[in-house]
Amino acid sequence: ADWPCRPWRLIDHKRWEMPQGWFGCEITHRNVSDLGLSMQEVIDTAAAKGFSRFIVLERRNHLRRYVSSRIGAARGKLHHNLGEAIEPIRAEIDTLQTGLSCQRNPLLERLQRDHDSMQEMLALTRPYGGLHLVYEDHVEQDPTVAYRMTCEHLGLAPERVEPALQRGNPQPIRELIKDCGPVERALRGTRFEWMLDS
């Protein structure tokens, strides 16, 4: 889309700069969509280029992820150092025009797409023995759980680590949305209704 580079060329260049040891990169389903590719194309290309380990980080509550991203954009930063004071901000959610990429969709459609994309990514990486991490289970309370699982997946001995960052929006999600009414109405009676209370 509007990217100033060709992603695979950039990845090839970065790998050339680091010929020794592990090389990894992050690809999100939003990146795939923005580039006009399919998830199948991306996984097949990565495998053809020699990527041998896949790690999928699932976030079950897509609404919270979206709200946190909106707040991060409003603050001008997504990550916060441990002990840092964090300005409380409430996100404005337009249930008819949501999205974190160049595409804008109704909220329900966006949540369904995020869910479906994650399931597709898990299915496509399963034949490669991909590691499946879940943010709510392996990161949210103690990121070192995901770290140790990742090290084991890569065949590396974990080091002693301490998280240097803190959650930016730990409050109940209803306290993070400026006007919850439209979101409640949009989710009522759907498979995503639980996300407002999780």
Side-chain angles (χ1 to χ4, degrees):
D2 299 324
W3 283 30
C5 68
R6 296 174 186 236
W8 288 117
R9 185 178 295 174
L10 175 63
I11 288 169
D12 286 340
H13 179 72
K14 292 295 183 185
R15 289 180 72 189
W16 179 80
E17 289 179 348
M18 303 174 64
Q20 303 289 325
W22 288 101
F23 173 82
C25 63
E26 177 186 23
I27 302 171
T28 72
H29 58 88
R30 290 180 303 283
N31 298 150
V32 172
S33 176
D34 284 351
L35 290 167
L37 302 172
S38 72
M39 189 64 68
Q40 181 79 62
E41 287 176 281
V42 170
I43 299 299
D44 288 348
T45 302
K49 287 182 173 292
F51 284 86
S52 60
R53 308 288 175 96
F54 292 87
I55 301 170
V56 179
L57 175 60
E58 176 183 9
R59 189 155 181 183
R60 289 194 183 113
N61 193 332
H62 301 293
L63 177 65
R64 179 174 278 278
R65 180 187 53 78
Y66 177 63
V67 168
S68 292
S69 295
R70 291 296 307 265
I71 292 172
R75 284 187 183 129
K77 65 185 299 187
L78 294 172
H79 303 107
H80 304 276
N81 294 323
L82 211 56
E84 173 186 345
I86 301 174
E87 175 189 6
I89 291 180
R90 289 182 174 226
E92 292 190 40
I93 305 297
D94 180 348
T95 58
L96 301 178
Q97 297 279 327
T98 60
L100 298 172
S101 62
C102 57
Q103 297 181 6
R104 296 288 180 264
N105 307 100
L107 179 61
L108 275 180
E109 186 178 324
R110 173 56 50 191
L111 295 176
Q112 186 63 54
R113 279 188 177 188
D114 287 349
H115 174 270
D116 293 347
S117 294
M118 180 55 61
Q119 297 312 304
E120 180 185 21
M121 194 181 301
L122 287 167
L124 290 172
T125 56
R126 197 169 292 123
Y128 297 98
L131 173 62
H132 178 195
L133 299 172
V134 178
Y135 174 81
E136 289 86 350
D137 297 340
H138 306 123
V139 178
E140 188 173 44
Q141 297 304 317
D142 182 4
T144 64
V145 173
Y147 167 71
R148 289 191 301 273
M149 291 173 70
T150 299
C151 287
E152 182 178 347
H153 182 65
L154 298 177
L156 301 171
E159 300 284 338
R160 181 177 172 80
V161 294
E162 294 290 336
L165 302 176
Q166 63 178 321
R167 291 179 64 196
N169 308 296
Q171 303 89 336
I173 197 164
R174 290 174 186 275
E175 295 178 17
L176 299 173
I177 300 174
K178 198 166 192 178
D179 180 5
C180 253
V183 177
E184 286 177 340
R185 288 191 290 277
L187 300 187
R188 188 173 296 132
T190 73
R191 62 185 297 180
F192 305 112
E193 188 173 11
W194 66 271
M195 293 182 179
L196 265 172
D197 297 304
S198 176

